[in-house]
Amino acid sequence: MNRLSKTALTLLVALVASASASTTASAADTQLTGCAAKRESIRSELRQAQEQGLSDKVAGLTRALDEVNAHCRDNMLVERHNKKVLKAQAKVNQTERSLRLAQEANKQPKKIAKLEGKLEKARADLAALQAQQP
């Protein structure tokens, strides 16, 4: 093999190894939930801010980490998440009701299309919330 091919092969191996390591790290991060996930997310941002020398951001993230350590409780996160899901479900229900009433009253197609779009967005928001881990 010539020198250029060896260099390209070396770079390719390094790139694959780096991608594999970051995928493993990401997989480990996604296993965390609740307060532990919040802590790890803040710590990750804190490391990046420190590496970039962003002292104001480091100070803010340090305060945020202190607050999470002092006040975060998994049951509170679950409760807050469940309230958001219930609120999103109520919005879906209300929009479905509005759409049904508009259809029964033979409202203008523009109005019905607008409500259908609103309902689609409300359902997507609800699905996104339901997919999230608290």
Side-chain angles (χ1 to χ4, degrees):
M1 250 193 294
N2 66 22
R3 186 176 180 161
L4 185 57
S5 296
K6 287 180 183 179
T7 304
L9 183 60
T10 303
L11 287 174
L12 182 61
V13 169
L15 181 63
V16 169
S18 173
S20 175
S22 70
T23 302
T24 303
S26 296
D29 289 348
T30 57
Q31 292 173 354
L32 296 175
T33 60
C35 296
K38 286 183 99 162
R39 280 186 201 94
E40 187 53 38
S41 174
I42 294 171
R43 286 180 184 135
S44 176
E45 284 187 59
L46 184 58
R47 281 190 295 273
Q48 290 175 355
Q50 288 170 333
E51 289 171 2
Q52 295 172 1
L54 304 172
S55 59
D56 289 343
K57 191 168 184 175
V58 167
L61 289 168
T62 301
R63 276 193 307 276
L65 186 57
D66 290 343
E67 287 295 315
V68 167
N69 287 333
H71 303 291
C72 188
R73 302 292 174 263
D74 286 333
N75 61 342
M76 289 174 22
L77 291 177
V78 169
E79 185 178 320
R80 191 175 306 141
H81 178 73
N82 289 341
K83 284 181 182 179
K84 287 179 184 178
V85 170
L86 288 174
K87 187 175 179 181
Q89 182 63 56
K91 185 171 184 173
V92 167
N93 294 343
Q94 177 60 41
T95 308
E96 285 174 340
R97 206 171 7 263
S98 296
L99 176 60
R100 190 175 51 254
L101 290 172
Q103 289 169 334
E104 290 171 358
N106 292 322
K107 294 285 183 177
Q108 294 178 353
K110 225 180 203 183
K111 172 82 171 176
I112 291 173
K114 183 178 178 181
L115 286 170
E116 287 171 340
K118 195 173 179 181
L119 178 58
E120 187 177 315
K121 182 181 180 331
R123 284 180 175 160
D125 292 345
L126 175 60
L129 276 172
Q130 289 172 331
Q132 286 178 353
Q133 290 288 343

